[in-house]
Amino acid sequence: MSQDEVIFRRFESGDTDDVWHMHRSASEDVGVRGPEGAWEDDLRNIGEVYIASGGDFVVAHIGSRLVAMGGLKPVDGDVAELKRMRVDPAFHRRGLGRRILSELESLAGALGFKWIILDTTKIQVGAQRLYETAGYVRRKEGMLHGYAVIFYHKRLTGRDAPPHMIDDIVSLDNPV
């Protein structure tokens, strides 16, 4: 196996520390790292929050180094929320964001989800570009955990849902 070969696999409990460190360093790199808080508790319990709930969490490695990650958290039977998508700052501009997004979309389809929703901060212009070029549609803007965010959705399969359905799921009063 080449040192540059990227291996995608499901999260395992031994990945917990690496996932936490990537989350914190990648968040700091884009200017959205605040104090640790309850909003990050999902990363301390990935097996239950993502996998056991019917979603998934994927990590990508080059050799032994974690270089990208992301999760799918079920909202309901048709909708999954894409969460915690991160790429190691040292590995930006290598297509890893697009590849992990593609992995997560494939998994969402295989798990039976018809829609993916997500949010990203307004200052993360690179993430916005990634999602928009991958077919995600801006749904609305708001505030979440003190940051101005943009909410997106993408239909994976099936017929279009009524616009109010997505608005109901992406509720600013009940952030996921």
Side-chain angles (χ1 to χ4, degrees):
M1 162 175 39
S2 161
Q3 270 303 99
D4 292 334
E5 186 177 355
V6 182
I7 304 297
F8 293 89
R9 64 170 173 76
R10 174 179 270 178
F11 168 87
E12 298 170 356
S13 60
D15 298 320
T16 301
D17 288 343
D18 288 342
V19 162
W20 177 255
H21 292 299
M22 170 164 309
H23 162 67
R24 297 298 284 172
S25 68
S27 297
E28 183 174 342
D29 186 65
V30 296
V32 295
R33 178 179 169 179
E36 290 185 27
W39 67 280
E40 299 169 308
D41 286 350
D42 61 310
L43 290 172
R44 300 289 190 194
N45 200 2
I46 290 171
E48 183 177 322
V49 172
Y50 292 93
I51 299 168
S53 69
D56 216 328
F57 199 97
V58 175
V59 295
H61 284 85
I62 295 176
S64 62
R65 184 169 179 171
L66 177 68
V67 295
M69 66 184 206
L72 291 169
K73 185 176 178 182
V75 174
D76 67 23
D78 289 336
V79 181
E81 184 176 17
L82 189 140
K83 302 284 289 178
R84 307 301 188 189
M85 202 168 102
R86 308 279 187 266
V87 174
D88 183 322
F91 289 83
H92 282 181
R93 312 289 308 157
R94 298 187 190 187
L96 290 170
R98 190 161 307 281
R99 288 182 66 190
I100 197 100
L101 180 59
S102 178
E103 288 283 326
L104 290 164
E105 288 178 345
S106 292
L107 279 169
L111 292 168
F113 295 109
K114 295 182 176 98
W115 291 86
I116 293 180
I117 61 171
L118 62 90
D119 61 77
T120 192
T121 63
K122 289 181 90 171
I123 62 175
Q124 291 178 270
V125 176
Q128 294 167 39
R129 194 167 30 251
L130 170 66
Y131 297 132
E132 290 171 13
T133 60
Y136 287 80
V137 176
R138 286 180 184 232
R139 194 71 196 144
K140 62 182 169 180
E141 297 182 10
M143 295 295 293
L144 197 57
H145 305 297
Y147 292 99
V149 296
I150 302 167
F151 294 89
Y152 289 91
H153 73 265
K154 181 177 181 178
R155 182 172 57 94
L156 298 175
T157 62
R159 58 185 176 79
D160 284 326
H164 72 299
M165 182 202 90
I166 298 296
D167 287 335
D168 291 344
I169 292 168
V170 184
S171 168
L172 295 178
D173 299 326
N174 185 21
V176 180

